[in-house]
Amino acid sequence: MSKEIDELKSIAGDYKTWALQARKKFIDLRLRQDLQIRELYIKLTKNISKELKKGGLSPIDKKRLQQIYGALKETEDALNGQLTINFEKYTKENVAAAVGYSKAITIDIVEKAEISKIVTSDVKNIYFRMNEKAVEAIWSRTQDGLYLSDRIWSKSRKYRQNMTDIIRAAVAEGQDCTKTAKALEQYVLKKKKTLAAEYPNMMARMGNRVPSDVSYEALRLARTEMTSAFGEATLSAAKISPSCRGVKYILSASHPKPDICDDITGTDKHGLGIGVYPIDEAPLYPFHCNCLCITTTVNEKSEDFVQRLKRWDSDPTSEPGIEDWYQNTYKKMNNIQK
Ligand SMILES: [Zn+2]
């Protein structure tokens, strides 16, 4: 962990505290979301097993089966609703964590420059508006023709299919209701491995149709989408940050073997530094599922930028880059007319 963090600190320079905060938030959010998704699957599966247990030691008959299928449909809907709420919450938090870094840097330089043309509250406003747009963009984007909401829905449907498979296998076995209820609980709590030891015939019947971890697909989607949200928000914030010079990717220490990330993070393709890209030419991030590579921005040194801001304040033509940002980002996003 320390090598990547050292690299993050060195690229952030004076802003290292904020860079570390953004990274820590990202990691904390990922762990918290993982945990909440698992808990959601456990809670909902326990409802199914409760329904099954009502049948006691009798085998699962037609009537019970109809009740269980009904309960599974309700669970699928509940899962979809709650996963959607979960994804919305974490999308917002990841976007805010990513944008927070650029926002803090811009506010810092504006406060240090002390020029009357640029007001802190208006700076905050441009990041606030960008924040909202980034969240919307994530939900309105399609991938393989599917919106994020569709892909969440497909995970809920998959859950129902998996549960149906297990229950069908239990019916074919002639298993009693209590035993099947226990099998479902064990599966969701301890994954497929332990199930295979105690219910060998049932498991043999299902083969590979049932995944080893029932929540895995949703977890994988969550990790990829949230990393992507963080990455996109980093880019969007970089675009409206006047001191930003590019976006940098740092190899995660959790890469045992060389992969695509080594090339992206290890070469200087644009003469901006190792792993640094112009904002418009940033590679698609995350680079693969479960990728933990770090994304951050590269910013001009604060004292240099403060000097340039002051120069621009007395003569806008002396700093065309800042003037362009002032006219096309700052004024436009704040609806300043004059
Ligand atoms: Zn990676």
Side-chain angles (χ1 to χ4, degrees), residues 51-328:
E51 189 64 39
L52 256 169
K53 274 182 197 157
K54 286 181 194 161
L57 295 174
S58 60
I60 306 169
D61 59 17
K62 257 199 179 137
K63 193 181 145 223
R64 176 79 31 205
L65 205 54
Q66 285 316 316
Q67 279 166 348
I68 294 304
Y69 286 161
L72 273 172
K73 180 68 190 107
E74 276 172 30
T75 306
E76 178 189 333
D77 294 342
L79 183 60
N80 181 56
Q82 291 182 46
L83 278 178
T84 303
I85 292 170
N86 176 291
F87 273 59
E88 278 171 353
K89 172 176 174 241
Y90 283 95
T91 302
K92 278 184 193 153
E93 291 199 44
N94 273 289
V95 165
V99 172
Y101 183 52
S102 286
K103 179 179 158 185
I105 291 174
T106 306
I107 290 174
D108 180 61
I109 45 184
V110 162
E111 285 179 349
K112 280 181 182 152
E114 292 181 309
I115 48 179
S116 55
K117 265 154 83 180
I118 299 177
V119 188
T120 306
S121 61
D122 285 346
V123 171
K124 284 184 181 162
N125 185 43
I126 66 175
Y127 286 98
F128 175 76
R129 292 187 54 190
M130 195 244 89
N131 216 311
E132 293 197 313
K133 264 202 219 157
V135 172
E136 269 171 40
I138 284 147
W139 286 85
S140 56
R141 178 187 58 184
T142 60
Q143 201 176 301
D144 304 319
L146 296 173
Y147 290 105
L148 177 53
S149 53
D150 299 328
R151 283 179 284 141
I152 293 171
W153 194 221
S154 85
K155 304 307 167 209
S156 312
R157 206 172 306 141
K158 191 92 181 227
Y159 168 83
R160 179 154 68 120
Q161 281 163 7
N162 290 333
M163 286 293 139
T164 306
D165 276 344
I166 295 178
I167 290 160
R168 280 211 186 110
V171 171
E173 273 299 282
Q175 247 178 40
D176 67 63
C177 293
T178 306
K179 193 176 176 186
T180 307
K182 273 192 192 146
L184 289 184
E185 281 181 20
Q186 216 170 19
Y187 174 47
V188 75
L189 286 171
K190 295 179 182 164
K191 303 176 187 174
K192 191 174 166 184
K193 257 188 255 159
T194 49
L195 209 59
E198 283 184 47
Y199 306 82
N201 298 334
M202 189 174 118
M203 296 312 286
R205 231 176 254 281
M206 290 183 291
N208 287 324
R209 279 205 314 275
V210 170
S212 80
D213 176 352
V214 72
S215 58
Y216 180 70
E217 292 232 16
L219 290 175
R220 195 169 68 163
L221 179 68
R223 289 173 188 159
T224 306
E225 288 300 323
M226 296 310 124
T227 308
S228 168
F230 190 95
E232 281 181 35
T234 298
L235 285 175
S236 303
K239 281 180 195 159
I240 60 164
S241 298
S243 72
C244 184
R245 295 292 161 262
V247 56
K248 167 149 172 111
Y249 298 97
I250 300 168
L251 187 70
S252 155
S254 64
H255 279 277
K257 277 185 257 164
D259 62 16
I260 184 176
C261 305
D262 292 79
D263 177 53
I264 293 172
T265 60
T267 49
D268 183 357
K269 292 186 179 24
H270 300 272
L272 294 169
I274 291 172
V276 183
Y277 295 78
I279 299 161
D280 295 327
E281 287 178 64
L284 201 63
Y285 171 86
F287 310 128
H288 54 79
C289 286
N290 294 324
C291 181
L292 271 170
C293 289
I294 299 176
T295 176
T296 188
T297 55
V298 179
N299 296 276
E300 200 172 317
K301 266 196 171 164
S302 81
E303 59 262 41
D304 296 349
F305 199 78
V306 167
Q307 287 314 310
R308 292 214 289 125
L309 262 181
K310 286 181 173 165
R311 207 157 41 210
W312 165 80
D313 189 39
S314 51
D315 176 12
T317 59
S318 68
E319 293 289 344
I322 296 177
E323 177 63 10
D324 181 62
W325 171 80
Y326 180 68
Q327 295 297 340
N328 296 309

